[in-house]
Amino acid sequence: GRAVASCGIPREDIFITTKLWNQNMRDNRQADAFEESLDRLGMDYVDLYLIHWPVHNFVDSWRIMEKIYADGKARAIGVSNFQPHHLNTLAEQTNIVPAVNQVECHPYLAQHELQAFCEERNIMVEAWSPFGGAGAGILKDPAIQAIAEAYGKDVGQIVLRWLIQRGIIALSKSVTQERIASNVDVFSFSLDASAMRAMESLNQNRRL
């Protein structure tokens, strides 16, 4: 919130996402937790509000989030780490389809079946941990390194471009200014069909 307030960029040009934490769902503090998030951000709305995990009362939590959406305090609402059976439960018992399902997705966990399920329901898939996290080895994978060398890009850019071309929102993070700039610079090139196939071949359905 302090960064947004001091950066000089209009609030409407910045996309802010925050999440409803598991314990607040278990404690039935969903509405209070959202207002506390707004207070900490110093904002009167967020662009996207997500359920963090499908803990036991996620349907009740979603109904509260529908009210938050109706009140205009969240421009969109979504979920995180939901599988098809969780999404089916929401569809059967609530009114609004999640705008986003944010899940672990990277070259070793491609999530094709879940993506297809979400696309049929107009749910965008957003990839958290697109590089697999510390120690995953994805950024040192020889196959991706070969593609990166062929395109004159770094490995991280190849991974992010692969996700983007699949229609997945790529949520990368870094504390290094050079890496942050590199992660954004992924819209000036495209991977050809052979590179996409090479990336797809790395899938192991492995959670990291």
Side-chain angles (χ1 to χ4, degrees):
R2 289 193 298 271
V4 172
S6 63
C7 70
I9 300 172
R11 167 67 183 91
E12 58 269 22
D13 291 343
I14 300 176
F15 196 95
I16 301 293
T17 305
T18 192
K19 291 183 175 180
L20 173 60
W21 179 236
N22 304 341
Q23 196 58 45
N24 287 320
M25 295 169 65
R26 296 186 183 105
D27 294 342
N28 296 311
R29 296 192 66 256
Q30 297 94 328
D32 289 341
F34 177 74
E35 293 298 332
E36 290 164 5
S37 289
L38 286 185
D39 287 343
R40 285 193 297 271
L41 288 166
M43 299 174 184
D44 55 8
Y45 75 96
V46 295
D47 297 279
L48 177 62
Y49 195 47
L50 302 176
I51 288 180
H52 203 121
W53 289 89
V55 300
H56 75 281
N57 62 343
F58 68 85
V59 171
D60 291 338
S61 297
W62 187 252
R63 291 185 178 121
I64 293 168
M65 290 173 62
E66 288 181 324
K67 175 66 162 56
I68 290 169
Y69 173 75
D71 290 343
K73 294 183 176 181
R75 300 291 172 85
I77 54 176
V79 296
S80 187
N81 305 300
F82 274 47
Q83 293 300 310
H85 66 280
H86 301 119
L87 294 168
N88 280 334
T89 298
L90 284 185
E92 292 164 0
Q93 300 186 37
T94 64
N95 297 314
I96 298 176
V97 176
V100 171
N101 186 16
Q102 186 189 96
V103 296
E104 180 183 359
C105 185
H106 45 72
Y108 297 165
L109 181 65
Q111 297 276 27
H112 286 295
E113 291 182 4
L114 180 60
Q115 182 185 7
F117 180 93
C118 289
E119 285 181 347
E120 289 176 358
R121 292 151 181 81
N122 294 318
I123 301 170
M124 288 295 299
V125 174
E126 181 172 15
W128 61 256
S129 198
F131 306 136
I138 288 174
L139 295 179
K140 296 181 179 179
D141 188 289
I144 309 177
Q145 288 180 332
I147 297 170
E149 183 175 348
Y151 280 84
K153 302 295 180 180
D154 64 43
V155 172
Q157 289 174 309
I158 298 300
V159 171
L160 296 177
R161 186 67 208 176
W162 166 69
L163 289 166
I164 289 166
Q165 285 185 215
R166 290 178 55 198
I168 293 176
I169 302 165
L171 181 65
S172 59
K173 69 176 182 178
S174 177
V175 297
T176 305
Q177 183 172 346
E178 181 181 355
R179 175 63 66 182
I180 293 169
S182 174
N183 288 346
V184 173
D185 185 20
V186 292
F187 298 100
S188 60
F189 72 101
S190 296
L191 299 178
D192 64 19
S194 62
M196 290 296 289
R197 284 195 299 270
M199 291 296 295
E200 301 298 340
S201 72
L202 299 173
N203 181 47
Q204 305 167 21
N205 292 322
R206 178 155 64 98
R207 298 183 183 278
L208 298 170

